[in-house]
Amino acid sequence: MSRYTSRRTMFIPALVVLAACSAGGIGSGQASAKEFTVEAQTIPELKAVFGQVESRTVVPARARIGGTIREIAIIEGAEVKEGQIVGRVVDDKLAFETNAADAKIAALQSQLDNARIELDRAQQLLARGTGTQSRLDQAKTQFDVVVSQVAAAQADKAVIEQRAREGAILAPATGRVLTVPITLGSVILAGEEIARIASGQYYLRLFLPERHAAEIKTGGTVLIGGRGLSPVTSGTVATARPGRIARVYPQINGGRVVADVEVAGLGDYFVNERTLVWIPVGTRTVIAVPPAAVTMRHGVDYVRIATPDGPLDVAVILGETFQKDDGPRIEILTGLRNGDRVIMPDATP
């Protein structure tokens, strides 16, 4: 008896029955076949963790003057552009200050008109020989003083008007509104925060056990599952998309290593939303075959191999599915060994 027969004697009675009941087998002549030689290979050891979506920068939209909130133009989750008006603060005192400035300018304008008349009169008297140079100089000085006072009053009014315009609260950057911690009618001070805006690129933050600190490297590749926390929405390693470890923080807090992962397509995620991430923490040697080599009969997975005594169906236990350059592979936990020749079915008659 050969080593293949002794190793798998337990499967032969079942195989005889299955061969008798199955149509289109190897011996039927209805299908051709090719072989796949099993070779042990090294793959990354992946650990599943949850990554938390973060924004690279979060900036506050602040009030530039104190007053009362009269308008809120945004809500949580809204997209805003840089410079967009997100709210408005009104200071009732500015209206009174504007009226006072207008009255002061009007009074000075009257003084300016009178000084201009006095200057014209002094010039005319001096031209006729009845006036003096000192009176002309005095009238000109008075005119210049009032002109400067009018300019100063107009500048004061411009400052008040600018303060009124600064009641418009502007978005400091383009992004998504995270929080709006104020309500209409609230009284706020200059510099107080009225909204927080996530303006930077989104990334994933990972918190890993301290025992994996030596295996986490900047520039390493991780796999990110689909959006959601359930296995149905997160998917598997085979359907995950790649991401890159952009930063590993040098300080361990509470027995955890913190790392940041860059990945595209997080723009519609919520900040602080969690998603499944597979990260390599080592390597292991596995035996794997193409998924097409595995068939299931009566709830049991089988792989057909070539032996000196002829084809033999071997019951196997499957592990993880992973991707290789030449196609997907499925891990075989038990049933095969390195060097076995797997018979691949060919559907071409």
Side-chain angles (χ1 to χ4, degrees):
M1 182 178 292
S2 69
R3 64 182 182 89
Y4 292 95
T5 305
S6 61
R7 198 178 90 184
R8 300 178 173 104
T9 303
M10 65 177 68
F11 299 114
I12 294 178
L15 294 175
V16 172
V17 175
L18 291 173
C21 298
S22 300
I26 287 284
S28 64
Q30 296 179 4
S32 58
K34 58 182 179 180
E35 292 185 357
F36 173 86
T37 302
V38 175
E39 294 181 357
Q41 49 194 296
T42 301
I43 65 171
E45 179 71 28
L46 300 178
K47 178 178 179 59
V49 297
F50 283 108
Q52 184 170 289
V53 178
E54 302 280 355
S55 175
R56 188 65 66 188
T57 55
V58 177
V59 294
R62 299 185 183 275
R64 294 178 287 177
I65 64 171
T68 305
I69 296 291
R70 299 296 189 193
E71 178 186 356
I72 301 176
I74 55 173
I75 59 174
E76 288 85 350
E79 296 285 343
V80 296
K81 300 293 185 181
E82 182 178 357
Q84 176 181 334
I85 296 177
V86 298
R88 192 174 299 276
V89 177
V90 175
D91 186 353
D92 295 332
K93 298 189 299 296
L94 294 180
F96 298 109
E97 292 178 5
T98 301
N99 293 336
D102 289 336
K104 183 178 181 180
I105 291 173
L108 291 173
Q109 191 65 47
S110 298
Q111 294 180 23
L112 181 62
D113 294 340
N114 186 57
R116 184 180 290 107
I117 293 173
E118 290 295 329
L119 179 60
D120 291 342
R121 182 181 293 116
Q123 289 174 343
Q124 292 173 5
L125 292 174
L126 183 63
R128 295 193 191 107
T130 57
T132 62
Q133 183 65 39
S134 62
R135 182 179 178 182
L136 176 62
D137 293 342
Q138 183 179 1
K140 188 175 185 306
T141 300
Q142 183 64 27
F143 177 80
D144 292 339
V145 169
V146 177
V147 167
S148 298
Q149 290 177 340
V150 171
Q154 290 174 340
D156 290 340
K157 180 183 178 182
V159 171
I160 297 171
E161 293 174 341
Q162 178 62 29
R163 288 176 58 197
R165 285 192 293 269
E166 288 179 353
I169 304 170
L170 307 179
T174 300
R176 183 187 298 181
V177 178
L178 298 182
T179 59
V180 183
I182 50 92
T183 58
L184 285 174
S186 300
V187 177
I188 63 175
L189 301 176
E192 193 166 340
E193 179 181 299
I194 69 109
R196 294 175 65 247
I197 300 172
S199 61
Q201 179 184 2
Y202 284 6
Y203 66 96
L204 286 176
R205 174 154 291 176
L206 306 180
F207 300 92
L208 306 170
E210 182 179 350
R211 63 180 179 273
H212 299 307
E215 287 82 12
I216 305 304
K217 304 294 184 183
T218 300
T221 300
V222 301
L223 300 174
I224 294 93
R227 188 175 185 179
L229 299 181
S230 68
V232 176
T233 56
S234 297
T236 63
V237 174
T239 59
R241 52 179 170 160
R244 186 182 69 88
I245 299 177
R247 181 183 303 173
V248 178
Y249 291 88
Q251 184 175 359
I252 296 177
N253 294 319
R256 296 186 301 176
V257 180
V258 182
D260 293 343
V261 174
E262 291 181 349
V263 56
L266 295 179
D268 58 344
Y269 280 57
F270 293 103
V271 174
N272 294 335
E273 181 178 351
R274 294 191 300 162
T275 188
L276 192 60
V277 178
W278 290 274
I279 185 165
V281 293
T283 59
R284 60 191 176 95
T285 302
V286 301
I287 289 177
V289 299
V294 180
T295 59
M296 177 181 287
R297 294 193 296 273
H298 305 289
V300 180
D301 295 310
Y302 291 91
V303 173
R304 179 165 291 181
I305 65 173
T307 71
D309 298 329
L312 179 66
D313 284 348
V314 180
V316 295
I317 298 178
L318 306 182
E320 298 179 357
T321 301
F322 56 93
Q323 188 70 29
K324 298 291 288 184
D325 294 338
D326 56 349
R329 294 287 185 271
I330 188 167
E331 181 183 0
I332 305 298
L333 299 178
T334 62
L336 294 182
R337 62 185 179 184
N338 195 29
D340 282 345
R341 294 179 296 128
V342 175
I343 300 175
M344 298 290 297
D346 190 347
T348 303

PDB file of all heavy atoms in Angstrom, residues 21-55:
ATOM      1  N   CYS A  21     -22.178   8.063  -7.613  1.00  0.00           N
ATOM      2  CA  CYS A  21     -23.359   8.933  -7.688  1.00  0.00           C
ATOM      3  C   CYS A  21     -23.102  10.181  -8.499  1.00  0.00           C
ATOM      4  O   CYS A  21     -24.040  10.894  -8.849  1.00  0.00           O
ATOM      5  CB  CYS A  21     -23.811   9.335  -6.279  1.00  0.00           C
ATOM      6  SG  CYS A  21     -24.322   7.922  -5.264  1.00  0.00           S
ATOM      7  N   SER A  22     -21.801  10.538  -8.755  1.00  0.00           N
ATOM      8  CA  SER A  22     -21.497  11.802  -9.424  1.00  0.00           C
ATOM      9  C   SER A  22     -21.409  11.586 -10.919  1.00  0.00           C
ATOM     10  O   SER A  22     -20.868  10.582 -11.389  1.00  0.00           O
ATOM     11  CB  SER A  22     -20.159  12.368  -8.917  1.00  0.00           C
ATOM     12  OG  SER A  22     -20.250  12.579  -7.525  1.00  0.00           O
ATOM     13  N   ALA A  23     -21.909  12.549 -11.658  1.00  0.00           N
ATOM     14  CA  ALA A  23     -21.843  12.504 -13.130  1.00  0.00           C
ATOM     15  C   ALA A  23     -20.753  13.447 -13.595  1.00  0.00           C
ATOM     16  O   ALA A  23     -20.571  14.516 -13.052  1.00  0.00           O
ATOM     17  CB  ALA A  23     -23.185  12.919 -13.729  1.00  0.00           C
ATOM     18  N   GLY A  24     -20.069  13.094 -14.688  1.00  0.00           N
ATOM     19  CA  GLY A  24     -19.076  13.978 -15.279  1.00  0.00           C
ATOM     20  C   GLY A  24     -17.775  13.993 -14.524  1.00  0.00           C
ATOM     21  O   GLY A  24     -17.121  15.013 -14.491  1.00  0.00           O
ATOM     22  N   GLY A  25     -17.352  12.929 -13.829  1.00  0.00           N
ATOM     23  CA  GLY A  25     -16.104  12.889 -13.085  1.00  0.00           C
ATOM     24  C   GLY A  25     -14.927  12.740 -14.011  1.00  0.00           C
ATOM     25  O   GLY A  25     -15.035  12.720 -15.234  1.00  0.00           O
ATOM     26  N   ILE A  26     -13.773  12.574 -13.344  1.00  0.00           N
ATOM     27  CA  ILE A  26     -12.534  12.436 -14.113  1.00  0.00           C
ATOM     28  C   ILE A  26     -12.600  11.238 -15.020  1.00  0.00           C
ATOM     29  O   ILE A  26     -12.193  11.256 -16.174  1.00  0.00           O
ATOM     30  CB  ILE A  26     -11.335  12.329 -13.152  1.00  0.00           C
ATOM     31  CG1 ILE A  26     -11.049  13.686 -12.511  1.00  0.00           C
ATOM     32  CG2 ILE A  26     -10.116  11.783 -13.833  1.00  0.00           C
ATOM     33  CD1 ILE A  26     -10.373  14.646 -13.411  1.00  0.00           C
ATOM     34  N   GLY A  27     -13.128  10.129 -14.500  1.00  0.00           N
ATOM     35  CA  GLY A  27     -13.111   8.905 -15.279  1.00  0.00           C
ATOM     36  C   GLY A  27     -14.197   8.829 -16.310  1.00  0.00           C
ATOM     37  O   GLY A  27     -14.271   7.878 -17.063  1.00  0.00           O
ATOM     38  N   SER A  28     -15.102   9.788 -16.355  1.00  0.00           N
ATOM     39  CA  SER A  28     -16.223   9.711 -17.298  1.00  0.00           C
ATOM     40  C   SER A  28     -15.827  10.090 -18.696  1.00  0.00           C
ATOM     41  O   SER A  28     -16.569   9.841 -19.644  1.00  0.00           O
ATOM     42  CB  SER A  28     -17.350  10.626 -16.820  1.00  0.00           C
ATOM     43  OG  SER A  28     -16.897  11.975 -16.839  1.00  0.00           O
ATOM     44  N   GLY A  29     -14.716  10.809 -18.804  1.00  0.00           N
ATOM     45  CA  GLY A  29     -14.291  11.208 -20.145  1.00  0.00           C
ATOM     46  C   GLY A  29     -15.049  12.406 -20.660  1.00  0.00           C
ATOM     47  O   GLY A  29     -14.871  12.781 -21.808  1.00  0.00           O
ATOM     48  N   GLN A  30     -15.926  13.061 -19.828  1.00  0.00           N
ATOM     49  CA  GLN A  30     -16.717  14.180 -20.312  1.00  0.00           C
ATOM     50  C   GLN A  30     -16.021  15.511 -20.053  1.00  0.00           C
ATOM     51  O   GLN A  30     -16.527  16.540 -20.413  1.00  0.00           O
ATOM     52  CB  GLN A  30     -18.090  14.165 -19.623  1.00  0.00           C
ATOM     53  CG  GLN A  30     -18.909  12.930 -19.976  1.00  0.00           C
ATOM     54  CD  GLN A  30     -20.235  12.943 -19.276  1.00  0.00           C
ATOM     55  OE1 GLN A  30     -20.580  13.891 -18.593  1.00  0.00           O
ATOM     56  NE2 GLN A  30     -21.010  11.887 -19.464  1.00  0.00           N
ATOM     57  N   ALA A  31     -14.925  15.527 -19.319  1.00  0.00           N
ATOM     58  CA  ALA A  31     -14.225  16.784 -19.057  1.00  0.00           C
ATOM     59  C   ALA A  31     -12.730  16.514 -19.002  1.00  0.00           C
ATOM     60  O   ALA A  31     -12.290  15.461 -18.562  1.00  0.00           O
ATOM     61  CB  ALA A  31     -14.699  17.399 -17.734  1.00  0.00           C
ATOM     62  N   SER A  32     -11.951  17.474 -19.444  1.00  0.00           N
ATOM     63  CA  SER A  32     -10.506  17.389 -19.368  1.00  0.00           C
ATOM     64  C   SER A  32     -10.050  18.071 -18.088  1.00  0.00           C
ATOM     65  O   SER A  32     -10.823  18.711 -17.409  1.00  0.00           O
ATOM     66  CB  SER A  32      -9.858  18.062 -20.582  1.00  0.00           C
ATOM     67  OG  SER A  32     -10.252  19.419 -20.658  1.00  0.00           O
ATOM     68  N   ALA A  33      -8.762  17.955 -17.728  1.00  0.00           N
ATOM     69  CA  ALA A  33      -8.279  18.507 -16.468  1.00  0.00           C
ATOM     70  C   ALA A  33      -6.830  18.936 -16.627  1.00  0.00           C
ATOM     71  O   ALA A  33      -6.124  18.489 -17.519  1.00  0.00           O
ATOM     72  CB  ALA A  33      -8.426  17.481 -15.352  1.00  0.00           C
ATOM     73  N   LYS A  34      -6.387  19.826 -15.720  1.00  0.00           N
ATOM     74  CA  LYS A  34      -5.004  20.233 -15.641  1.00  0.00           C
ATOM     75  C   LYS A  34      -4.598  20.216 -14.173  1.00  0.00           C
ATOM     76  O   LYS A  34      -5.446  20.175 -13.280  1.00  0.00           O
ATOM     77  CB  LYS A  34      -4.794  21.623 -16.238  1.00  0.00           C
ATOM     78  CG  LYS A  34      -5.634  22.704 -15.588  1.00  0.00           C
ATOM     79  CD  LYS A  34      -5.404  24.034 -16.273  1.00  0.00           C
ATOM     80  CE  LYS A  34      -6.265  25.135 -15.627  1.00  0.00           C
ATOM     81  NZ  LYS A  34      -6.057  26.445 -16.263  1.00  0.00           N
ATOM     82  N   GLU A  35      -3.278  20.231 -13.926  1.00  0.00           N
ATOM     83  CA  GLU A  35      -2.785  20.077 -12.565  1.00  0.00           C
ATOM     84  C   GLU A  35      -2.224  21.393 -12.034  1.00  0.00           C
ATOM     85  O   GLU A  35      -1.733  22.238 -12.785  1.00  0.00           O
ATOM     86  CB  GLU A  35      -1.704  18.994 -12.507  1.00  0.00           C
ATOM     87  CG  GLU A  35      -2.227  17.599 -12.759  1.00  0.00           C
ATOM     88  CD  GLU A  35      -1.145  16.548 -12.572  1.00  0.00           C
ATOM     89  OE1 GLU A  35       0.014  16.953 -12.308  1.00  0.00           O
ATOM     90  OE2 GLU A  35      -1.439  15.348 -12.690  1.00  0.00           O
ATOM     91  N   PHE A  36      -2.322  21.538 -10.699  1.00  0.00           N
ATOM     92  CA  PHE A  36      -1.762  22.676  -9.970  1.00  0.00           C
ATOM     93  C   PHE A  36      -0.932  22.111  -8.831  1.00  0.00           C
ATOM     94  O   PHE A  36      -1.445  21.387  -7.988  1.00  0.00           O
ATOM     95  CB  PHE A  36      -2.887  23.573  -9.431  1.00  0.00           C
ATOM     96  CG  PHE A  36      -2.400  24.675  -8.535  1.00  0.00           C
ATOM     97  CD1 PHE A  36      -1.966  25.882  -9.054  1.00  0.00           C
ATOM     98  CD2 PHE A  36      -2.378  24.514  -7.152  1.00  0.00           C
ATOM     99  CE1 PHE A  36      -1.517  26.889  -8.238  1.00  0.00           C
ATOM    100  CE2 PHE A  36      -1.935  25.520  -6.319  1.00  0.00           C
ATOM    101  CZ  PHE A  36      -1.506  26.727  -6.869  1.00  0.00           C
ATOM    102  N   THR A  37       0.363  22.397  -8.836  1.00  0.00           N
ATOM    103  CA  THR A  37       1.251  21.873  -7.800  1.00  0.00           C
ATOM    104  C   THR A  37       1.195  22.763  -6.564  1.00  0.00           C
ATOM    105  O   THR A  37       1.396  23.979  -6.645  1.00  0.00           O
ATOM    106  CB  THR A  37       2.696  21.793  -8.319  1.00  0.00           C
ATOM    107  OG1 THR A  37       2.730  20.962  -9.483  1.00  0.00           O
ATOM    108  CG2 THR A  37       3.615  21.223  -7.255  1.00  0.00           C
ATOM    109  N   VAL A  38       0.930  22.169  -5.420  1.00  0.00           N
ATOM    110  CA  VAL A  38       0.809  22.908  -4.167  1.00  0.00           C
ATOM    111  C   VAL A  38       2.199  23.285  -3.675  1.00  0.00           C
ATOM    112  O   VAL A  38       3.083  22.438  -3.581  1.00  0.00           O
ATOM    113  CB  VAL A  38       0.072  22.064  -3.106  1.00  0.00           C
ATOM    114  CG1 VAL A  38       0.069  22.793  -1.762  1.00  0.00           C
ATOM    115  CG2 VAL A  38      -1.348  21.772  -3.563  1.00  0.00           C
ATOM    116  N   GLU A  39       2.366  24.557  -3.375  1.00  0.00           N
ATOM    117  CA  GLU A  39       3.627  25.047  -2.827  1.00  0.00           C
ATOM    118  C   GLU A  39       3.325  25.934  -1.627  1.00  0.00           C
ATOM    119  O   GLU A  39       2.442  26.781  -1.677  1.00  0.00           O
ATOM    120  CB  GLU A  39       4.400  25.857  -3.872  1.00  0.00           C
ATOM    121  CG  GLU A  39       4.881  25.036  -5.061  1.00  0.00           C
ATOM    122  CD  GLU A  39       5.649  25.883  -6.050  1.00  0.00           C
ATOM    123  OE1 GLU A  39       5.741  27.117  -5.822  1.00  0.00           O
ATOM    124  OE2 GLU A  39       6.152  25.333  -7.040  1.00  0.00           O
ATOM    125  N   ALA A  40       4.063  25.706  -0.549  1.00  0.00           N
ATOM    126  CA  ALA A  40       3.908  26.551   0.629  1.00  0.00           C
ATOM    127  C   ALA A  40       4.366  27.973   0.295  1.00  0.00           C
ATOM    128  O   ALA A  40       5.373  28.162  -0.391  1.00  0.00           O
ATOM    129  CB  ALA A  40       4.712  25.996   1.790  1.00  0.00           C
ATOM    130  N   GLN A  41       3.621  28.964   0.765  1.00  0.00           N
ATOM    131  CA  GLN A  41       3.957  30.356   0.490  1.00  0.00           C
ATOM    132  C   GLN A  41       3.740  31.194   1.739  1.00  0.00           C
ATOM    133  O   GLN A  41       2.933  30.850   2.610  1.00  0.00           O
ATOM    134  CB  GLN A  41       3.121  30.890  -0.678  1.00  0.00           C
ATOM    135  CG  GLN A  41       1.641  30.619  -0.568  1.00  0.00           C
ATOM    136  CD  GLN A  41       0.933  30.861  -1.883  1.00  0.00           C
ATOM    137  OE1 GLN A  41       0.904  31.990  -2.364  1.00  0.00           O
ATOM    138  NE2 GLN A  41       0.377  29.810  -2.461  1.00  0.00           N
ATOM    139  N   THR A  42       4.454  32.295   1.795  1.00  0.00           N
ATOM    140  CA  THR A  42       4.393  33.188   2.947  1.00  0.00           C
ATOM    141  C   THR A  42       3.445  34.340   2.651  1.00  0.00           C
ATOM    142  O   THR A  42       3.572  34.997   1.614  1.00  0.00           O
ATOM    143  CB  THR A  42       5.785  33.736   3.284  1.00  0.00           C
ATOM    144  OG1 THR A  42       6.661  32.639   3.571  1.00  0.00           O
ATOM    145  CG2 THR A  42       5.723  34.653   4.493  1.00  0.00           C
ATOM    146  N   ILE A  43       2.519  34.572   3.546  1.00  0.00           N
ATOM    147  CA  ILE A  43       1.558  35.672   3.398  1.00  0.00           C
ATOM    148  C   ILE A  43       1.560  36.493   4.674  1.00  0.00           C
ATOM    149  O   ILE A  43       1.977  36.017   5.740  1.00  0.00           O
ATOM    150  CB  ILE A  43       0.137  35.150   3.101  1.00  0.00           C
ATOM    151  CG1 ILE A  43      -0.406  34.353   4.282  1.00  0.00           C
ATOM    152  CG2 ILE A  43       0.109  34.335   1.826  1.00  0.00           C
ATOM    153  CD1 ILE A  43      -1.875  33.998   4.148  1.00  0.00           C
ATOM    154  N   PRO A  44       1.101  37.742   4.587  1.00  0.00           N
ATOM    155  CA  PRO A  44       1.048  38.568   5.803  1.00  0.00           C
ATOM    156  C   PRO A  44       0.021  38.027   6.793  1.00  0.00           C
ATOM    157  O   PRO A  44      -1.038  37.528   6.411  1.00  0.00           O
ATOM    158  CB  PRO A  44       0.631  39.957   5.277  1.00  0.00           C
ATOM    159  CG  PRO A  44       0.919  39.922   3.806  1.00  0.00           C
ATOM    160  CD  PRO A  44       0.745  38.506   3.372  1.00  0.00           C
ATOM    161  N   GLU A  45       0.367  38.119   8.058  1.00  0.00           N
ATOM    162  CA  GLU A  45      -0.582  37.803   9.127  1.00  0.00           C
ATOM    163  C   GLU A  45      -1.378  39.074   9.413  1.00  0.00           C
ATOM    164  O   GLU A  45      -0.817  40.098   9.823  1.00  0.00           O
ATOM    165  CB  GLU A  45       0.167  37.369  10.385  1.00  0.00           C
ATOM    166  CG  GLU A  45      -0.726  37.041  11.562  1.00  0.00           C
ATOM    167  CD  GLU A  45      -1.500  35.751  11.369  1.00  0.00           C
ATOM    168  OE1 GLU A  45      -1.009  34.867  10.638  1.00  0.00           O
ATOM    169  OE2 GLU A  45      -2.586  35.634  11.945  1.00  0.00           O
ATOM    170  N   LEU A  46      -2.683  39.047   9.159  1.00  0.00           N
ATOM    171  CA  LEU A  46      -3.514  40.237   9.266  1.00  0.00           C
ATOM    172  C   LEU A  46      -4.297  40.241  10.577  1.00  0.00           C
ATOM    173  O   LEU A  46      -4.794  39.203  11.012  1.00  0.00           O
ATOM    174  CB  LEU A  46      -4.488  40.309   8.089  1.00  0.00           C
ATOM    175  CG  LEU A  46      -3.869  40.371   6.699  1.00  0.00           C
ATOM    176  CD1 LEU A  46      -4.944  40.391   5.628  1.00  0.00           C
ATOM    177  CD2 LEU A  46      -2.973  41.593   6.565  1.00  0.00           C
ATOM    178  N   LYS A  47      -4.379  41.418  11.169  1.00  0.00           N
ATOM    179  CA  LYS A  47      -5.188  41.603  12.375  1.00  0.00           C
ATOM    180  C   LYS A  47      -6.314  42.570  12.041  1.00  0.00           C
ATOM    181  O   LYS A  47      -6.073  43.645  11.464  1.00  0.00           O
ATOM    182  CB  LYS A  47      -4.355  42.148  13.523  1.00  0.00           C
ATOM    183  CG  LYS A  47      -5.175  42.389  14.793  1.00  0.00           C
ATOM    184  CD  LYS A  47      -4.319  42.871  15.933  1.00  0.00           C
ATOM    185  CE  LYS A  47      -5.158  43.130  17.176  1.00  0.00           C
ATOM    186  NZ  LYS A  47      -5.874  41.930  17.631  1.00  0.00           N
ATOM    187  N   ALA A  48      -7.527  42.198  12.381  1.00  0.00           N
ATOM    188  CA  ALA A  48      -8.686  43.051  12.119  1.00  0.00           C
ATOM    189  C   ALA A  48      -8.889  44.012  13.293  1.00  0.00           C
ATOM    190  O   ALA A  48      -8.994  43.583  14.447  1.00  0.00           O
ATOM    191  CB  ALA A  48      -9.938  42.197  11.918  1.00  0.00           C
ATOM    192  N   VAL A  49      -8.897  45.300  12.985  1.00  0.00           N
ATOM    193  CA  VAL A  49      -9.147  46.332  13.990  1.00  0.00           C
ATOM    194  C   VAL A  49     -10.118  47.339  13.391  1.00  0.00           C
ATOM    195  O   VAL A  49     -10.405  47.319  12.185  1.00  0.00           O
ATOM    196  CB  VAL A  49      -7.845  47.051  14.413  1.00  0.00           C
ATOM    197  CG1 VAL A  49      -6.880  46.090  15.063  1.00  0.00           C
ATOM    198  CG2 VAL A  49      -7.193  47.730  13.212  1.00  0.00           C
ATOM    199  N   PHE A  50     -10.613  48.221  14.236  1.00  0.00           N
ATOM    200  CA  PHE A  50     -11.490  49.283  13.760  1.00  0.00           C
ATOM    201  C   PHE A  50     -10.700  50.579  13.666  1.00  0.00           C
ATOM    202  O   PHE A  50      -9.994  50.963  14.607  1.00  0.00           O
ATOM    203  CB  PHE A  50     -12.684  49.478  14.700  1.00  0.00           C
ATOM    204  CG  PHE A  50     -13.745  48.425  14.539  1.00  0.00           C
ATOM    205  CD1 PHE A  50     -13.934  47.453  15.496  1.00  0.00           C
ATOM    206  CD2 PHE A  50     -14.540  48.403  13.409  1.00  0.00           C
ATOM    207  CE1 PHE A  50     -14.896  46.475  15.356  1.00  0.00           C
ATOM    208  CE2 PHE A  50     -15.508  47.433  13.242  1.00  0.00           C
ATOM    209  CZ  PHE A  50     -15.688  46.464  14.212  1.00  0.00           C
ATOM    210  N   GLY A  51     -10.804  51.232  12.494  1.00  0.00           N
ATOM    211  CA  GLY A  51     -10.208  52.547  12.311  1.00  0.00           C
ATOM    212  C   GLY A  51     -11.269  53.620  12.450  1.00  0.00           C
ATOM    213  O   GLY A  51     -12.429  53.418  12.077  1.00  0.00           O
ATOM    214  N   GLN A  52     -10.868  54.760  12.952  1.00  0.00           N
ATOM    215  CA  GLN A  52     -11.793  55.872  13.179  1.00  0.00           C
ATOM    216  C   GLN A  52     -11.482  56.997  12.214  1.00  0.00           C
ATOM    217  O   GLN A  52     -10.336  57.423  12.085  1.00  0.00           O
ATOM    218  CB  GLN A  52     -11.675  56.368  14.622  1.00  0.00           C
ATOM    219  CG  GLN A  52     -12.660  57.454  14.996  1.00  0.00           C
ATOM    220  CD  GLN A  52     -12.651  57.714  16.490  1.00  0.00           C
ATOM    221  OE1 GLN A  52     -13.115  56.904  17.278  1.00  0.00           O
ATOM    222  NE2 GLN A  52     -12.120  58.862  16.885  1.00  0.00           N
ATOM    223  N   VAL A  53     -12.501  57.475  11.502  1.00  0.00           N
ATOM    224  CA  VAL A  53     -12.325  58.537  10.513  1.00  0.00           C
ATOM    225  C   VAL A  53     -12.057  59.861  11.230  1.00  0.00           C
ATOM    226  O   VAL A  53     -12.806  60.251  12.127  1.00  0.00           O
ATOM    227  CB  VAL A  53     -13.555  58.651   9.612  1.00  0.00           C
ATOM    228  CG1 VAL A  53     -13.376  59.799   8.604  1.00  0.00           C
ATOM    229  CG2 VAL A  53     -13.810  57.345   8.873  1.00  0.00           C
ATOM    230  N   GLU A  54     -10.990  60.529  10.838  1.00  0.00           N
ATOM    231  CA  GLU A  54     -10.637  61.827  11.393  1.00  0.00           C
ATOM    232  C   GLU A  54     -10.387  62.799  10.251  1.00  0.00           C
ATOM    233  O   GLU A  54     -10.123  62.403   9.118  1.00  0.00           O
ATOM    234  CB  GLU A  54      -9.368  61.728  12.258  1.00  0.00           C
ATOM    235  CG  GLU A  54      -9.447  60.752  13.422  1.00  0.00           C
ATOM    236  CD  GLU A  54     -10.181  61.341  14.609  1.00  0.00           C
ATOM    237  OE1 GLU A  54     -10.532  62.541  14.548  1.00  0.00           O
ATOM    238  OE2 GLU A  54     -10.402  60.608  15.591  1.00  0.00           O
ATOM    239  N   SER A  55     -10.490  64.090  10.569  1.00  0.00           N
ATOM    240  CA  SER A  55     -10.146  65.130   9.605  1.00  0.00           C
ATOM    241  C   SER A  55      -8.755  65.657   9.930  1.00  0.00           C
ATOM    242  O   SER A  55      -8.414  65.852  11.108  1.00  0.00           O
ATOM    243  CB  SER A  55     -11.164  66.272   9.657  1.00  0.00           C
ATOM    244  OG  SER A  55     -10.771  67.337   8.804  1.00  0.00           O
TER     245      SER A  55
END
